[in-house]
Amino acid sequence: MKTAPVFIGTLNRSDHFKQAVESLKQNQLAQDTHLFIGLDYPSKDEHYSGYNQTLDYLENIKGFKEVTVFKRSTNMGAAKNFKDGQDNVLQLYDRIIISEDDNYFSPTFLAYMNAGLDKFESDRRIFGICGHNYPISFESKYSGNYYAWQGASVWGFGTWRDRYQSLNYTINDLCAYLRKPVNVIRAYRIAPHYIASMLGKVQSKADFDPFSDAVINLYLRNHNQYCIFPTLSKVRNFGHDGTGLRSGIIQGDNPFVTQAIDDATSFEFQSNTEELFENPAINRMLFRYFYRGPMQSLKTLWALLKYYIGNRACVRKT
């Protein structure tokens, strides 16, 4: 089995970053893993404290086969920091595992990700391997320990160089997709949040991220491809605390922080007796998970209509 490199992008969230690296280090395959880190440069005075703490921590990272740091001399922004780091890693390797700095990894994360990248490398229906599963219990509906779905969670995501390089959408591709009602209906039937996610991307003033979940999801629909998910998540996320750029804040109980994850020390893909692709039970559960009620659907539709009216040309610099 090949061992894929791991790339983590970070800036000043030193506590999150340390937790991510320390949890990854507990994986048995860590000592065979080349860890790459993209350390962006501060753009605000309040970044420097966490940035300097991250710098100090980088000097003492051990437990991996090799550690390579892309230390930026100017602020690139999250999207460009990740894109440049991923491009550089994939010049050296034919596969990659990508993560933000606010994830906590189970002891089986690397075993699962690397086994998946080996198992599905030649299956052109599969675009990538997701380490995170949504906080849903599949036990009564599905017996396998993995499934395929036409969506992506990038909280710990693995893919291959050829799939990565085939993803070349721009913000105008998302915009053009949204302007066709048949596309909106199709995406809504898979997961209602897709519409709001794409709409948020095309309306955002932030740098366009060409490898975000919204972009990957669009690619999957257009190419009839899927991602592989574990039924028991290998990742727990701590990013909805206001420290990130896009995650926002979850008030009260945060299901991602308390989510149960795999605590085993090894992982093997179990052969599935149920349908792996387009499994009706899986699709229903995921649709219900992302459905926020009729009022939310109406709000999204209204936002989409206003976008249609105000953006006739549908062209923006990427």
Side-chain angles (χ1 to χ4, degrees):
M1 180 175 68
K2 290 184 180 179
T3 305
V6 174
F7 174 81
I8 301 176
T10 191
L11 170 58
N12 67 316
R13 299 195 294 179
S14 57
D15 290 340
H16 282 321
F17 176 66
K18 291 175 186 177
Q19 178 176 254
V21 173
E22 291 301 314
S23 64
L24 190 66
K25 191 162 64 176
Q26 300 308 310
N27 281 245
Q28 291 183 354
L29 288 178
Q31 60 185 353
D32 301 317
T33 299
H34 189 166
L35 175 62
F36 289 85
I37 297 158
L39 177 63
D40 206 358
Y41 193 80
S43 63
K44 300 177 182 179
D45 289 343
E46 54 262 37
H47 289 166
Y48 279 96
S49 176
Y51 172 80
N52 288 327
Q53 291 177 46
T54 300
L55 274 177
D56 291 341
Y57 176 70
L58 288 174
E59 298 294 327
N60 300 298
I61 294 179
K62 302 186 186 308
F64 297 92
K65 178 182 179 181
E66 189 174 349
V67 178
T68 299
V69 180
F70 302 130
K71 184 181 175 183
R72 314 304 186 182
S73 58
T74 60
N75 182 263
M76 298 183 73
K80 291 179 181 178
N81 182 35
F82 269 82
K83 180 67 166 59
D84 179 81
Q86 291 159 188
D87 288 347
N88 277 283
V89 172
L90 286 170
Q91 289 181 12
L92 304 173
Y93 293 89
D94 68 348
R95 60 194 61 195
I96 188 172
I97 298 169
I98 305 159
S99 177
E100 296 181 349
D101 60 3
D102 53 12
N103 290 321
Y104 177 92
F105 305 102
S106 83
T108 61
F109 173 75
L110 289 178
Y112 161 78
M113 296 296 293
N114 282 286
L117 288 169
D118 267 5
K119 180 179 178 66
F120 296 101
E121 180 179 11
S122 61
D123 191 336
R124 303 304 301 184
R125 297 170 297 179
I126 305 302
F127 180 81
I129 313 297
C130 300
H132 175 261
N133 187 37
Y134 307 103
I136 306 171
S137 174
F138 295 91
E139 292 181 359
S140 62
K141 303 291 184 181
Y142 184 78
S143 64
N145 67 352
Y146 69 101
Y147 66 95
W149 188 56
Q150 204 164 71
S153 171
V154 293
W155 290 348
F157 184 85
T159 192
W160 305 268
R161 181 196 293 140
D162 58 348
R163 270 72 142 195
Y164 175 87
Q165 292 177 340
S166 69
L167 188 69
N168 55 6
Y169 287 159
T170 69
I171 196 166
N172 294 317
D173 292 308
L174 268 70
C175 180
Y177 185 90
L178 283 173
R179 294 193 70 83
K180 295 182 179 180
V182 65
N183 291 339
V184 173
I185 294 170
R186 180 185 174 201
Y188 183 89
R189 286 176 174 173
I190 299 173
H193 80 297
Y194 278 174
I195 310 306
S197 177
M198 286 191 291
L199 190 58
K201 292 295 180 186
V202 299
Q203 292 179 322
S204 175
K205 295 181 180 179
D207 288 340
F208 178 69
D209 183 355
F211 206 76
S212 65
D213 53 358
V215 178
I216 296 172
N217 290 337
L218 174 58
Y219 183 90
L220 297 175
R221 290 191 296 278
N222 283 346
H223 293 80
N224 196 30
Q225 290 186 331
Y226 300 79
C227 288
I228 296 296
F229 289 77
T231 53
L232 180 57
S233 185
K234 316 303 177 192
V235 180
R236 186 180 289 142
N237 182 266
F238 287 80
H240 290 83
D241 59 355
T243 62
L245 291 175
R246 298 178 292 269
S247 299
I249 301 175
I250 294 179
Q251 302 289 351
D253 294 335
N254 184 338
F256 302 117
V257 168
T258 59
Q259 182 175 3
I261 59 174
D262 192 356
D263 60 1
T265 56
S266 61
F267 178 88
E268 291 185 5
F269 282 91
Q270 297 173 359
S271 58
N272 280 28
T273 57
E274 296 109 327
E275 180 65 35
L276 180 62
F277 296 91
E278 296 300 328
N279 183 285
I282 294 288
N283 287 345
R284 280 195 300 271
M285 283 187 285
L286 288 166
F287 181 89
R288 290 168 183 166
Y289 173 74
F290 288 111
Y291 181 65
R292 296 293 183 265
M295 288 304 298
Q296 186 61 49
S297 296
L298 287 173
K299 287 180 181 179
T300 300
L301 178 60
W302 177 241
L304 190 61
L305 288 172
K306 289 197 296 184
Y307 180 70
Y308 287 161
I309 295 169
N311 294 269
R312 296 183 183 278
C314 196
V315 175
R316 199 189 104 178
K317 290 183 179 180
T318 57

